[in-house]
Structures are given as C-alpha cells and as structure tokens.
Amino acid sequence: MEFSRRISSLRPSAIREILKAPSDPDTVSLAAGNPSPETFPAAEMALIAADIFQNNAPAALQYGVSEGYQPLRERTRKRLAEKHGLGNETDELIITSGGQQVAELAAKTLLNEGDTVICEDPSFIGALNAFRSYGVKLVGVPCNGSGMDIDQLENALKKHPEAKMIYTIPTFQNPSGEVMPLASRKRLLELAAKHDVTVLEDDPYRELRYSGETVPAIKTLDTEGRVIYAGSFSKIIAPGIRLGFALAPAPLIAKMTVGKQVSDVHSNLFFQILVEQFMARYDLEAHIARCRELYRARLGVMDAALKKHMPGAGWIVPEGGLFLWVKLPGGLDGTEFCRKAKEKKVMAVPGSAFLCDENGVSNAIRLNFSLPSPEQIEIGIARLGSVTLHPLASADTKEM
C-alpha cells in the first residue's frame, strides 16, 4: 500500500509507543506524561454523570456545535479572564479534543506545505508531529535555562524570513521544565510583530506551579491578535476526557472551527457537559491545590533520589509541570541509556524524541514524577543509577 507523502515520513511518538509496551508489574515507568489517577475527581464525576443521564441524556448524547458546549465555553472564558487575565472582546474560544488538537488546527489553518515554524529545541513531540504532518519545516531554537533563547530566536527569524509561526511552551516547558521570564516573553512578542509571525503559546501546565512567582502568559501581552493560546483540562481534571481549548482572535477561531468540522465534527459532548458541571458544582481551585500538593511532594522525592543515586547527572528542579529533564554524565547517549534502562525494568524517554531534527542525538532523558508513586520513584531512580555504571559510546551526542 502506498501512503501519502504527508504521513509516510511521520514516525510514531516515542512516548505513545512506550505506553503500548507490554505491562510488566516489575517495570517502573518514569516515561509517561500522565497525571496521577489519585487526582481524578472520579466520585464527583460519577455523581454528575448519573445526573446527566437521568436529566439531560438527549443533550449529552446528541450532536453538538463544533465550537463546543456553550456553557463550558463561557465558564472557561470567564475563568481565564478573571484568574489569568486572558482574552479580550476580539477573542473567541473553541473547545478542542485535547490541547494537542490546537496545534493541529493551527497548522491546518495557517500553514502551507513548505512553510517554516520556529520551535524550542527540544519541544513537545505531539506538536512537532502535528506540524510535520502538514509538510512544514521545523527550525529549532535552543533553550538556555530560561526557556527559548531569545537572541537565538532573533537570529532564526532573520535567517528564515519565510517563517510563519513561533511555537513555544513558555511555562514549565515540555520536556525541559523551564520558565521563560517576563522580559523574554515581551521581547518574543516584539520579534513576532517585527517579523509578522503568529505565536502559538502552548500552556497546559500553568496551573501546576509548586514554587516561584507566576509569570503572565504571552497572550496577556498581545494587543495585535497575534497569539493563539492553547490550554487543556487534561492536567487539572483528567486526560482521558480529551478536552482542551484555544483562545484566539474570532476570525481565526472561525477558520479553526471549519477545520475541526472535517476532523471530528465536535469534541466529546458528554464530557463537555460533565466538566462544565464539575466547575459549577465543586471548588476547582481547591481541587487544583490538591493536585499541586501531591506533585510537589513527588518532585521532592525524585530530586532526593537523583541526588542519592545519580550524583554525576545534571538537572534543575522545575518550579512546576510534570517533568524533570536530566542530563547524563559524560555525554552519554540518552537513547542508548534508555535501552539499557529498559533491561533493568525502568523506562524513561530519551531526549532525542523531542528534537526538531528527528535524526538528532541527545545526552538527556525526560522523567515524569506525577504518575509513579514515591516508592516507584525511589526504585526507578536507583535502577537508572545502576545504568550509569555502563560506559556508552557517545562522541557525537548533543548536550541539551
């Protein structure tokens, strides 16, 4: 069978493939980006679901509008405005099938084959593959400990005047966990205006801050309608509901709506109603606070375990998010390291999975601390520590 050019060159997500691996009860996975099931408000959702089926089943089980369930859109917009200062009278909001769909719809709506997108390098594999699926050229800009290196971004924009979009995860960047300071966010937006490019701000981890001061979203600084803001309910309620949203100028949302109609018609209506009712009936802020408390503790456990078992590695404890980015000692190849780790029944994601260059190599690995228990974190890091005892060929490994 001959596949289309659009899909034939795409590689499967390393993370999704790891999740498909046969389950071994003795294997510790530090690879996934999953929230902990302990944070899922299952009991409250069960009560709401029963009420929906008893009193509102026809609406929940029928087709809905592509833009999303109107009460959820209104409640989400209100919360974004009041809590985060996001949105103005020229913006509109669409409910999507997870934050992932925002990247896909943005690419579908704004990019043509051969266009250029400038991304952080490393960056979120899901968004990178969304761009690749439309035949887009990716130009990577390294992170410098404070998110995307803005000087390097300026150089990239000068070198690639054909660039159409900047993709950034400025708050608890995936996979590095870095936070872009306010001054850099302002300069990024200034450069976007100067070179007339759109900014896609992916912000799924904003609510999960464990230390430090909150930094305003780039979208709050936008006075030209240049920023598409992508958010998600996955990290604060549950990922399986597959609900996210985009906040952007109304004409762009209108086009994204048309694009969504040919993708999935509309996002799951039952869960849209359920989430809106959860937000109406329960204290969402208290729920998020409990999530932060759990993850803050697990991050501390992982940091202590790394100090104990992998003292030769390098990492910065993130102020939030779900991931810890570890640079291996001696320039070890992250991909080979993860293969060896699997043999010791512990799973991590090699840094190369997040590179704009799919053939690139990296000496880093990404670890998740939200899903495994404290005991699993300790066991998993101890096993990783034993892997570092094996020398690996890594002369050409890129330090990231």
Side-chain angles (χ1 to χ4, degrees):
M1 184 174 292
E2 185 176 349
F3 298 107
S4 69
R5 289 191 299 272
R6 175 177 292 124
I7 201 71
S8 60
S9 62
L10 282 183
R11 302 178 185 178
S13 163
I15 303 165
R16 309 318 301 176
E17 292 302 301
I18 286 171
L19 292 178
K20 290 196 299 188
S23 177
D24 180 341
D26 293 328
T27 296
V28 174
S29 178
L30 306 177
N34 300 24
S36 170
E38 295 176 47
T39 67
F40 300 164
E44 295 89 340
M45 293 173 80
L47 293 174
I48 297 171
D51 183 53
I52 291 172
F53 281 123
Q54 182 174 353
N55 298 306
N56 202 22
L61 300 178
Q62 188 54 274
Y63 284 118
V65 298
S66 300
E67 291 88 344
Y69 181 55
Q70 187 63 25
L72 178 61
R73 294 172 66 207
E74 292 174 356
R75 193 174 292 278
T76 302
R77 283 203 62 171
K78 185 173 185 291
R79 183 171 183 273
L80 289 175
E82 293 179 353
K83 184 174 183 182
H84 302 296
L86 286 160
N88 55 47
E89 64 278 359
T90 66
D91 285 326
E92 192 51 86
L93 185 141
I94 184 173
I95 301 295
T96 59
S97 296
Q100 168 72 26
Q101 192 178 46
V102 181
E104 196 272 338
L105 289 176
K108 180 186 293 185
T109 304
L110 296 174
L111 303 175
N112 294 312
E113 188 170 349
D115 282 346
T116 296
V117 176
I118 298 178
C119 311
E120 290 147 346
D121 199 18
S123 191
F124 172 49
I125 181 65
L128 298 184
N129 272 346
F131 302 140
R132 290 173 180 137
S133 74
Y134 286 93
V136 170
K137 178 182 177 181
L138 301 179
V139 173
V141 172
C143 295
N144 61 5
S146 299
M148 182 183 284
D149 186 316
I150 303 300
D151 289 335
Q152 296 270 19
L153 170 63
E154 184 172 20
N155 292 336
L157 287 167
K158 290 177 180 177
K159 186 176 180 180
H160 298 277
E162 78 283 3
K164 294 288 185 66
M165 182 183 293
I166 299 169
Y167 172 69
T168 179
I169 313 169
T171 304
F172 315 132
Q173 201 261 356
N174 181 6
S176 72
E178 297 176 12
V179 177
M180 185 185 293
L182 181 58
S184 295
R185 297 179 190 224
K186 291 179 178 178
R187 190 170 166 213
L188 182 150
L189 196 54
E190 290 169 358
L191 288 170
K194 179 179 178 180
H195 294 271
D196 193 23
V197 298
T198 300
V199 177
L200 174 53
E201 179 179 15
D202 199 357
D203 204 18
Y205 310 106
R206 169 164 294 275
E207 308 278 3
L208 301 179
R209 174 174 284 280
Y210 317 126
S211 63
E213 298 296 325
T214 298
V215 184
I218 297 172
K219 178 67 175 171
T220 65
L221 311 172
D222 180 26
T223 59
E224 298 182 334
R226 192 172 294 280
V227 179
I228 305 169
Y229 182 85
S232 175
F233 293 105
S234 294
K235 309 304 184 292
I236 60 172
I237 296 182
I241 61 177
R242 304 309 307 131
L243 293 180
F245 53 86
L247 182 71
L252 177 54
I253 293 295
K255 283 296 184 183
M256 292 175 73
T257 300
V258 175
K260 183 173 173 60
Q261 288 168 353
V262 300
S263 294
D264 62 2
V265 183
H266 63 78
S267 299
N268 186 294
L269 186 54
F270 170 79
F271 274 121
Q272 289 189 66
I273 296 174
L274 194 153
V275 168
E276 191 277 329
Q277 285 296 295
F278 179 80
M279 295 172 71
R281 300 184 191 186
Y282 297 97
D283 188 341
L284 179 61
E285 305 308 321
H287 169 75
I288 294 172
R290 289 190 291 271
C291 296
R292 287 198 297 263
E293 183 178 359
L294 178 72
Y295 297 152
R296 182 186 294 112
R298 292 189 180 181
L299 172 58
V301 171
M302 181 168 281
D303 179 44
L306 285 166
K307 290 175 181 175
K308 179 180 178 181
H309 298 292
M310 298 182 67
W315 67 94
I316 297 174
V317 179
E319 295 179 348
L322 302 179
F323 308 110
L324 207 153
W325 186 241
V326 179
K327 295 181 180 178
L328 301 172
L332 300 179
D333 178 1
T335 300
E336 182 63 21
F337 180 88
C338 288
R339 290 197 188 104
K340 296 285 187 179
K342 187 176 179 181
E343 295 174 5
K344 293 184 176 290
K345 296 191 175 184
V346 59
M347 303 183 79
V349 185
S352 58
F354 306 96
L355 300 181
C356 291
D357 178 1
E358 292 184 280
N359 297 314
V361 292
S362 168
N363 78 316
I365 60 173
R366 192 195 75 175
L367 304 178
N368 167 257
F369 55 82
S370 58
L371 181 62
S373 68
E375 294 75 20
Q376 289 173 323
I377 291 173
E378 176 67 29
I379 293 169
I381 299 299
R383 291 176 183 174
L384 289 180
S386 69
V387 176
T388 63
L389 299 177
H390 299 274
L392 303 174
S394 57
D396 298 323
T397 300
K398 184 177 181 181
E399 296 233 357
M400 301 198 66

